[in-house]
Amino acid sequence: MLWGMKLVLAVIQDADATALVRVLSENAFEVTKLASTGGFLREGNTTLMIGVTEERLGELKRRVQQTCRSRTRLVAPSVPMGEQHEGLASDPVEVPVGGAVMFVMDVAEFVKV
């Protein structure tokens, strides 16, 4: 294992991807961007792979937190046809979206060719 080296997978909303990649690049973080889909709304997300030393992990977390904002969005509830009550199926529901989910893993080996 490489002492102090981490791999961070940050899953963020597409709306925040450009700004976050710019902020991280400006602050000397190496970032690889992957398109992904998932989550509650099954919308497009972006997954960033970021290699970082343990010493800079706190800074990385702060940059992600400052850039990826939480917001709310109105969505139509998906209720099975047999379970719909009058007025329920057409009333949109406000749900929180945005922010980031970060997975931090130790790096056993890193090879750059």
Side-chain angles (χ1 to χ4, degrees), residues 1 4-5 7 16 21 30 37-38 40 43 49 55 63 66-68 70-71 79 86 88 97-98 104 108:
M1 181 171 70
M5 191 64 167
L7 173 64
D16 296 323
V21 169
E30 292 191 28
T37 303
F40 175 66
E43 292 185 338
M49 295 190 330
E55 292 79 24
R63 302 270 183 207
Q66 292 167 351
T67 308
C68 298
S70 294
R71 50 185 84 73
V79 178
E86 191 170 322
L88 177 64
V97 296
V104 180

Side-chain angles (χ1 to χ4, degrees), residues 1-6 53-55 107-108:
M1 181 171 70
L2 294 176
W3 181 251
M5 191 64 167
K6 304 290 183 186
T53 61
E54 195 164 351
E55 292 79 24
V107 175

Side-chain angles (χ1 to χ4, degrees), residues 24 27 29 55-64:
L24 295 179
N27 289 278
F29 289 99
E55 292 79 24
R56 296 195 67 203
L57 184 58
E59 177 189 355
L60 172 64
K61 289 178 181 178
R62 281 190 304 280
R63 302 270 183 207
V64 172

Side-chain angles (χ1 to χ4, degrees), residues 34-56:
L34 306 170
S36 56
T37 303
F40 175 66
L41 299 176
R42 299 287 182 241
E43 292 185 338
N45 294 319
T46 297
T47 300
L48 301 178
M49 295 190 330
I50 309 157
V52 64
T53 61
E54 195 164 351
E55 292 79 24
R56 296 195 67 203

